[in-house]
């Protein structure tokens, strides 16, 4: 059995891009394996500094994963900040992480490059949280002996950094202390278009939120941008934003029928958008009531996360004491 682990950063209200690109594939991968999923709240602190927003987003994101089918009986589900051992390991790993390796981390490097381009000091507005981000992520992963780490393509390098650090520690003590983790790259969210056709992202304000009220979801779907080819003329479904989302929710038959309509002409965008909105609403209708019940009872979420944290801390303290012993700290 493989051990699968992934972190979920609560930095935005869950949307359809998150569902198709992260939630659905990660839950699929976890089936029948030993899985640990956690809310990476300390990672989110590099981005979200407003306390009310922070609480609200953590709650929404936790509720969304539970509502979309994460079963805390099957997956150890916890909050990163509830596991103090992650932070102990984080320091230990910092003592093995070459600074030069972190200088090359994409997220940090692109901020430095942007500063340079606009004539600012290299370090302008860059805090140590951003710089050390990959080391904290390595601690998340290595503490639990994860074999596979499902992530978006933007996080691949971070998993490779974790692997490099693990290798250095193993080498330094001539012992297989850490499992070398492997990134599993999930469907790129860049391929899931938002209503303006760019990657669906909160940064572009083009998302279809998973659990907004029905009216909002219908409205967002109707706003999806399309071309102005007349209804009677043939169209290319491969470049149509509506069709792109449609194929994730419609039946195979319906997809085939629509494809033919696109090629032959006679398809009205208004009509397929309406169908898409109804498909989305139907797809999430059971999840929506679970989601609402969690949002209205945050103490239930707390109880689930605390249960998960107990299990996670147990694994974590085992790994950490073995490591400390090996290093001469114990
Ligand atoms: N950095 C990841 C992201 O932005 C979230 C994350 C934190 C993570 N720790 C992790 C993912 C450990 C996988 C494993 O999406």
């Amino acid at each position: 059995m493989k051990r699968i682990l992934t972190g979920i950063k609560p930095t935005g209200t869950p949307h359809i891009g998150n569902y198709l690109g992260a939630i659905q594939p990660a839950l699929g991968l976890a089936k029948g394996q030993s899985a640990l999923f956690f809310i990476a709240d300390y990672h989110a602190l590099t981005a979200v500094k407003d306390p009310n927003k922070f609480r609200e987003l953590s709650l929404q994101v936790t509720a969304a994963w539970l509502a979309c089918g994460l079963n805390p009986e099957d997956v150890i589900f916890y909050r990163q900040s509830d596991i103090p051992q992650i932070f102990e390991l984080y320091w230990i790993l910092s003592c093995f992480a070459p600074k030069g390796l972190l200088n090359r981390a994409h997220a940090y490097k692109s901020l430095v490059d942007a500063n340079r381009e606009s004539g600012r000091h290299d370090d302008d507005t860059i805090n140590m949280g951003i710089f050390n981000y990959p080391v904290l992520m390595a601690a998340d992963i290595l503490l639990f002996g994860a074999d596979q780490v499902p992530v978006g393509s933007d996080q691949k390098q971070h998993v490779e950094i974790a692997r490099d650090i693990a290798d250095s520690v193993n080498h330094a003590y001539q012992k297989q202390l850490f499992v070398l983790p492997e990134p599993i790259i999930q469907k790129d969210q860049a391929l899931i278009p938002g209503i303006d056709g760019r990657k669906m992202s909160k940064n572009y304000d083009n998302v279809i939120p998973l659990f907004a009220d029905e009216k909002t979801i219908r409205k967002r779907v109707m706003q999806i941008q399309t071309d102005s080819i007349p209804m009677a003329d043939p169209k290319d479904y491969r470049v149509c934003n509506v069709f792109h989302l449609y194929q994730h929710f419609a039946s195979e038959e319906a997809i085939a029928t629509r494809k033919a309509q696109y090629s032959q002409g006679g398809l009205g965008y208004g009509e397929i958008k309406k169908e898409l909105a109804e498909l989305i609403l139907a797809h999430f209708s059971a999840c929506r009531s679970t989601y609402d019940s969690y949002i209205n009872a945050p103490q239930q979420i707390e109880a689930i996360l605390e249960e998960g944290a107990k299990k996670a801390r147990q694994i974590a303290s085992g790994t950490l004491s073995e490591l400390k012993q090996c290093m001469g700290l114990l």
Side-chain angles (χ1 to χ4, degrees), residues 5-11 36 38-44 80 133 136-142 146 148-152 154-155 158-159:
L5 173 142
T6 197
I8 302 144
K9 201 162 63 160
T11 45
L36 296 102
F38 66 95
I39 302 296
D41 55 348
Y42 268 124
H43 276 109
Q80 183 187 36
Y133 187 107
L136 181 58
M137 195 160 150
D140 292 331
I141 297 169
L142 302 181
Q148 294 189 333
V149 182
V151 284
D154 63 323
Q155 298 295 314
H158 291 158
V159 182

Side-chain angles (χ1 to χ4, degrees), residues 62 66 168 175 178 241:
T62 313
L66 290 166
S168 307
K175 202 172 169 197
F178 292 125
N241 299 322

Side-chain angles (χ1 to χ4, degrees), residues 19 37 59 70 75 81 91 132 185 203 208 281:
Y19 176 77
F37 288 4
L59 180 63
L70 189 158
V75 175
S81 63
W91 176 258
N132 289 329
I185 304 308
N203 299 333
I208 303 175
L281 289 171

Side-chain angles (χ1 to χ4, degrees), residues 126-173:
I126 301 179
N127 61 57
M128 287 303 289
I130 292 169
F131 187 71
N132 289 329
Y133 187 107
V135 186
L136 181 58
M137 195 160 150
D140 292 331
I141 297 169
L142 302 181
L143 189 57
F144 297 97
D147 301 288
Q148 294 189 333
V149 182
V151 284
S153 56
D154 63 323
Q155 298 295 314
K156 179 169 180 262
Q157 188 196 26
H158 291 158
V159 182
E160 289 163 355
I161 292 174
R163 199 181 161 91
D164 281 356
I165 300 175
D167 203 31
S168 307
V169 177
N170 289 351
H171 193 76
Y173 295 93

